[in-house]
Every structure is written in C-alpha cells, then in structure tokens.
C-alpha cells in the first residue's frame, strides 16, 4: 500500500492538469483515493471522515497559481494536514517536576505497559542519566508484579515491592515516599489493565492520578489494535489528562494508521514507539516521518 497513494495521486494530478480551480467535482476523485488509502492504513473511520472534511474545506475554491495544477495543490494540502494532525517533530519525556517526577502508565492489559515501563526506565537511565524506581499497582495479577520486577532488573533500575494484599493507592504512596527518601529522580508507576474498558479500572487509575500528581500520564496502546484503538483512547482520555502516548508493537504493524487515530482522538503527542519485545525496543517517535509513511 505504501507507495500506492502517492502513485494514485500523481496520476490524478496529471488528469487535473489545465483546470484553474479546485471545485467540488474535480476534487472528489482525489479525496476518494485519500480516503481509501487512509482506510487501508487502518485509520479509524471517524478519524478518516474528519480528515477528509478538513482537507476538502481547505481545498475548495482555493485559487491555483499558474505554475501548479489543482492536483498538486491538493496533494500539498493533504501532506500538510497529515503533518499537522500527527504533530510536530519529536517530544521526549517531561521531567520538569520536583523530584521524584512521577510517570503514570495507563492502558489495557496486553498493550505492553509492563514491558514499556522497563524500556522507559532504561531510556531514562541511559539517555537522561536519571535514577529510576518502578512499582506495580496491579494487585489483581501477582504475575504482573513479578514481571515488572524481572524487567526492571534488566533495565538496571530499582523495583519497589508490592503485593496483591495491598490497595493500589497505598502502594503508590509508599513508593512515592520511598522514592523521596532515597533521592530518586523518577518514579514509574505501572498500573493494572483489563481486557476491556471498565468503570472500576477507570476509577482506580483516576484515584492513582489524584494522589500521585504525575508529570506524565502516558497512554500505552497496541498499534495492532487498529480500529478498536480509538474506543480505548477515548475512554482513557475521558478519565485522565493524558500527556503522551506510547504506541507499542509497531514492529508487527505495517499499516501505521493507529498512530493517526489515537493522536487525533487524544490530542496528545506520541512520544515513543515500541519496536520489539526486547528491553531496548523503544524508539523516540518521529511524527513527520510517520506521516510520510502513511502517505507512502
Ligand atoms: P501489559 O499487560 O500491558 O503490561 O503488557 P506486557 O508488557 O505484559 O506485554 C504484552 C506482550 O506484548 C508481551 O509478550 C510483550 O513482550 C509484548 N510486547 C510489548 N511491547 C512490544 C513491542 O513493542 N513489540 C513486540 N513485538 N512485542 C511487544
């Protein structure tokens, strides 16, 4: 699919040569191709509709300079709109807080939260030279707490113990207290996820957010979730003031559309992408490069 859109559009650009204005009728074919390409990239339908409407509004009636064809103008509007939706450049983790800076990890079970928590710990240790503590508030799955312990060790960070007998908020407060007393720069809080959105889960993570006052609240989402990603994103955005997104499992996703969907729904920047199961499989997300990938 990757090169298909660019190819198709340039064909249409040629067909539109000689027309001086972008009109309702000459724009239709092009918008149809853009729409198809976005759907093939697995961008969620409501997001595609919005995108097409914005491009059309910007394009209609626009004067076309003599050196350009309406098709070329339209292609540049599509490019610009995609770039604007994806956001500018790259943005790293914000640590501008009285230490310990707290980072709250949110997302569904299986999205990759625990793995990503450790990847992020490693990133902060190696790239930002920080002293990092991790803790799990997943009291429903003792195995998840153990998993965090294992991967935290691989990351070279310190792990704060928790048990399934404790309450999530108590775990968070104890970890925060420990982090303060031992001069940690960053506390990463891995939270419980469910297989689907539910109210109890949202209430719990809201309570954690309230006591922790995190400087970053990161929504971890599986790139392979495709169309479903927007429902998950909507629910987490309504519950929490998200400050960033980490898109996991991009190594298994050739289509790239989830990025556009979650970005548009949450308005939050995509900060990193997960690129493998390994502890170093985390990359700073380059929005513009990704926009290019969707367009082909
Ligand atoms: P959690 O339930 O949200 O904490 O998810 P986990 O961290 O346990 O991850 C679920 C599965 O996804 C595990 O098998 C991870 O190894 C895998 N995983 C997480 N991130 C990535 C990634 O970026 N790429 C790949 N290929 N696998 C990933």
């Amino acid at each position: 699919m990757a090169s298909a859109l660019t190819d198709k559009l340039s064909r249409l650009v040629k067909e539109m040569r000689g027309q001086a204005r972008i009109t309702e009728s000459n724009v239709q074919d092009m918008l149809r191709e853009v729409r198809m390409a976005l759907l093939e990239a697995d961008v969620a339908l409501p997001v595609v509709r919005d995108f097409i409407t914005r491009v059309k509004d910007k394009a209609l009636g626009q004067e076309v300079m003599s050196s350009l064809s309406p098709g070329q103008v339209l292609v540049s509007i599509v490019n610009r709109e995609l770039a604007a939706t994806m956001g500018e450049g790259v943005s790293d983790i914000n640590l501008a807080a009285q230490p310990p800076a707290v980072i709250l990890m949110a997302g569904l079970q299986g999205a990759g939260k625990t793995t990503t928590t450790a990847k992020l710990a490693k990133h902060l240790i190696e790239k930002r030279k920080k002293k990092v503590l991790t803790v799990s508030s997943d009291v429903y799955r003792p195995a998840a707490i153990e998993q965090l312990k294992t991967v935290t060790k691989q990351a070279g960070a310190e792990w704060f113990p928790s048990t399934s007998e404790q309450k999530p908020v108590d775990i968070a407060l104890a970890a925060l207290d420990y982090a303060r007393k031992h001069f940690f720069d960053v506390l990463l809080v891995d939270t419980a996820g469910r297989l689907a959105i539910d109210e109890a889960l949202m209430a719990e993570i809201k309570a954690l957010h309230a006591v922790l006052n995190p400087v970053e609240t990161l929504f971890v989402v599986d790139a392979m979730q495709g169309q479903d990603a927007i429902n998950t994103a909507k629910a987490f955005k309504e519950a929490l003031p998200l400050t960033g997104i980490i898109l996991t499992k991009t190594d298994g996703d050739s289509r790239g559309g989830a990025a556009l969907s979650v970005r548009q729904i949450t308005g939050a920047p995509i900060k990193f992408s997960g690129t493998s199961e390994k502890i170093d499989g985390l990359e700073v997300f380059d929005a513009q490069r990704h926009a290019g990938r969707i367009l082909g």
Side-chain angles (χ1 to χ4, degrees):
M1 170 254 138
S3 68
L5 180 61
T6 307
D7 291 350
K8 280 184 202 150
L9 292 185
S10 37
R11 217 178 318 119
L12 288 161
V13 166
K14 282 193 197 118
E15 285 171 20
M16 284 166 81
R17 219 168 252 162
Q19 303 175 8
R21 271 180 161 275
I22 295 175
T23 63
E24 190 83 41
S25 70
N26 68 16
V27 86
Q28 282 309 340
D29 285 349
M30 285 200 78
L31 289 181
R32 195 174 314 122
E33 294 298 344
V34 175
R35 183 190 166 85
M36 286 299 296
L38 293 177
L39 288 172
E40 277 167 26
D42 213 17
V43 178
L45 188 55
V47 174
V48 174
R49 283 205 192 106
D50 254 35
F51 184 84
I52 296 293
T53 307
R54 289 203 306 277
V55 169
K56 192 170 163 187
D57 288 349
K58 292 207 165 114
L60 278 184
Q62 180 152 327
E63 292 289 344
V64 176
M65 286 189 296
S66 55
S67 59
L68 296 174
S69 71
Q72 287 169 318
V73 172
L74 200 60
V75 167
S76 82
I77 293 172
V78 169
N79 278 320
R80 275 207 311 270
E81 197 56 39
L82 196 58
T85 310
M86 289 303 303
E88 295 297 325
V90 296
S91 58
D92 203 342
I93 294 295
N94 174 18
L95 296 176
Q98 181 83 358
V102 177
I103 301 176
L104 186 64
M105 308 293 285
L108 288 185
Q109 185 176 321
K113 273 187 313 302
T114 304
T115 311
T116 306
T117 302
K119 288 177 177 179
L120 211 48
K122 188 173 163 72
H123 169 85
L124 293 169
I125 292 166
E126 290 178 1
K127 300 274 158 44
R128 310 277 295 267
K129 310 290 173 219
K130 299 300 176 190
K131 182 175 169 178
V132 181
L133 182 68
T134 72
V135 67
S136 170
S137 69
D138 191 347
V139 296
Y140 315 98
R141 291 190 308 145
I145 296 178
E146 278 304 305
Q147 185 194 345
L148 183 67
K149 181 181 180 180
T150 308
V151 287
T152 297
K153 196 179 258 174
Q154 289 169 12
E158 191 173 324
W159 169 82
F160 185 80
S162 51
T163 69
S164 46
E165 281 79 51
Q166 290 173 282
K167 292 201 179 86
V169 162
D170 294 342
I171 293 171
L173 289 173
L176 189 58
D177 185 53
Y178 180 87
R180 268 195 200 115
K181 288 190 175 130
H182 295 84
F183 305 104
F184 280 88
D185 301 306
V186 182
L187 170 63
L188 283 163
V189 182
D190 185 17
T191 61
R194 305 276 155 84
L195 292 172
I197 303 293
D198 81 32
E199 269 179 41
L201 170 72
M202 289 303 171
E204 180 180 301
I205 198 155
K206 276 192 209 175
L208 284 168
H209 187 276
V211 299
L212 287 167
N213 189 25
V215 64
E216 288 272 20
T217 302
L218 301 177
F219 172 52
V220 180
V221 59
D222 180 344
M224 312 250 271
Q225 239 205 335
Q227 301 279 327
D228 281 345
I230 67 162
N231 300 325
T232 318
K234 259 188 203 144
F236 277 94
K237 182 196 157 50
E238 276 161 25
L240 296 166
L242 301 176
T243 58
I245 298 162
I246 299 184
L247 198 61
T248 61
K249 310 184 196 179
T250 58
D251 48 311
D253 168 53
S254 58
R255 300 183 290 179
L260 189 68
S261 302
V262 292
R263 163 77 198 166
Q264 159 110 37
I265 296 294
T266 63
I270 301 173
K271 298 202 164 186
F272 292 92
S273 58
T275 54
S276 82
E277 289 189 76
K278 300 208 187 79
I279 189 97
D280 54 2
L282 186 73
E283 278 178 14
V284 171
F285 187 80
D286 184 335
Q288 298 304 309
R289 206 178 69 198
H290 195 87
R293 189 178 146 209
I294 293 177
L295 264 184

